Amino acid sequence: MPKCTLCLINEADKTGSHVVPHFLMKTIDNADHVKGRDKELGFKITEDFVTPYFGRDVSTNKLDEVFGELTEEDITASRSDIIADYIYCTSCEKKFSSLESAYAPTLNIDGSEVYQSTKSSLTAFLFWTSIVWRLSAYGKLGFKLAQNEENRLRVTLDKLLIAEVIDERDTATKAMFEDIRYVILRAPGYADKNETATYYHSKHRFPYCLLLGEYALFYYMKSSHVKSPQQSFFGLEKLLNRAPLNSIRNAEKIYPVTDEQMKSTWDSFVDFVNATRIKSLFRTLDELHIKLGGNGKHMHPKDKYDILNEIMAEGKDLGRTFTFEDIKQSTFKVLNKNHGITSKQ
Ligand SMILES: [Zn+2]
């Protein structure tokens, strides 16, 4: 059995671990707006690829609606990505769950102005830090810290997370977190009424950007990164200069965003998902073009758009990854029509 990824000492004997705490997942889209475990719907977007992932209890009908027809393999592969087996030991899993229990009551606190979520700066800080570290150490959801940053967070979390009580007095270890800043934006109650998703930006580092249902987390590994040029994150980045910066020292303050702002974020996110999918399709078409012995490295844009329209005309949902078979059929139909090219098969 592998070693626990947090303590690196005990055997990782826990199964069914949620990498993102399930109480937070309750705020994350569960498609049918039913709160509960295993209802999450997320997107892993890396380079030109979009991979959806979803919990065990998301209804198959809803998945069909969002992603088109999914195969059993798609579903099994995705579900195995969000529920992790053998990454933590029982003792570390307990530390995470007591941290979650300590932070969970903040879900019920909100405000229309900037509000304080908890008096315990350490609990809030460790909670968000543990999410960042867990996603990175797990590595299967398209989010990765720089390796030295991941190591640093592991060492400090391992020292500061104590199952029964989080020791506010451990100043030496706290000092290791001194330079980290983070911002929390939240549209309180938004996830009760609307679709949301989880998405962890695979490239942004200054800060790291995570969308978690009705929350957005911006995590700065160094306070100097606050001055870095703005990175786009579905419009939410524009609020960063107004939102309070949190650290291990201050009682956490959350910047509330309106439902309209969150809706516009979701719309931008859906556009981004679709644009990424089209980019991925066009890259596949360029590869096909080369294999078919076409001139140059790229298929003619008109052919690409004709093929895209052909795929869409088949009634496929743009929200899902096109299967190779879909692409092949539509491609040959269009190439035959436009250029008289026929499939050898
Ligand atoms: Zn452990």
Side-chain angles (χ1 to χ4, degrees), residues 83-234:
I83 313 290
D85 293 334
Y86 310 119
I87 58 170
Y88 309 131
C89 68
T90 302
S91 157
C92 289
E93 175 88 11
K94 269 188 198 149
K95 293 175 187 178
F96 287 132
S97 58
S98 64
L99 177 64
E100 286 159 29
S101 305
Y103 190 76
T106 67
L107 239 62
N108 302 319
I109 300 165
D110 61 43
S112 53
E113 304 287 322
V114 170
Y115 69 94
Q116 182 180 308
S117 56
T118 167
K119 280 184 194 150
S120 173
S121 59
L122 190 58
T123 298
F125 181 85
L126 289 179
F127 177 76
W128 295 111
T129 299
S130 81
I131 289 177
V132 169
W133 176 79
R134 278 191 270 182
L135 283 168
S136 177
Y138 181 51
K140 286 191 182 176
L141 298 174
F143 179 82
K144 200 75 182 159
L145 297 162
Q147 197 56 53
N148 63 331
E149 294 169 343
E150 187 185 300
N151 295 347
R152 186 173 143 217
L153 294 191
R154 186 199 69 77
V155 170
T156 31
L157 281 170
D158 187 36
K159 282 192 175 162
L160 284 178
L161 286 178
I162 299 159
E164 283 75 35
V165 63
I166 294 162
D167 189 350
E168 294 271 6
R169 292 161 300 176
D170 188 347
T171 46
T173 313
K174 274 169 86 173
M176 295 176 74
F177 278 135
E178 202 68 60
D179 202 28
I180 292 173
R181 298 289 180 275
Y182 71 101
V183 169
I184 304 285
L185 308 181
R186 180 189 181 196
Y190 181 84
D192 289 343
K193 309 177 289 277
N194 302 280
E195 295 201 350
T196 59
T198 62
Y199 170 59
Y200 321 112
H201 204 289
S202 62
K203 296 267 175 59
H204 291 355
R205 298 190 170 281
F206 313 111
Y208 289 97
C209 303
L210 301 89
L211 191 60
L212 296 145
E214 63 186 43
Y215 288 87
L217 166 65
F218 297 87
Y219 196 88
Y220 301 84
M221 288 298 301
K222 285 184 177 168
S223 56
S224 57
H225 293 166
V226 172
K227 298 191 192 87
S228 300
Q230 204 174 62
Q231 310 172 114
S232 68
F233 197 59
F234 316 117

Side-chain angles (χ1 to χ4, degrees), residues 4-10 88-89 91-92:
C4 167
T5 53
L6 182 63
C7 64
L8 304 181
I9 295 169
N10 303 330
Y88 309 131
C89 68
S91 157
C92 289

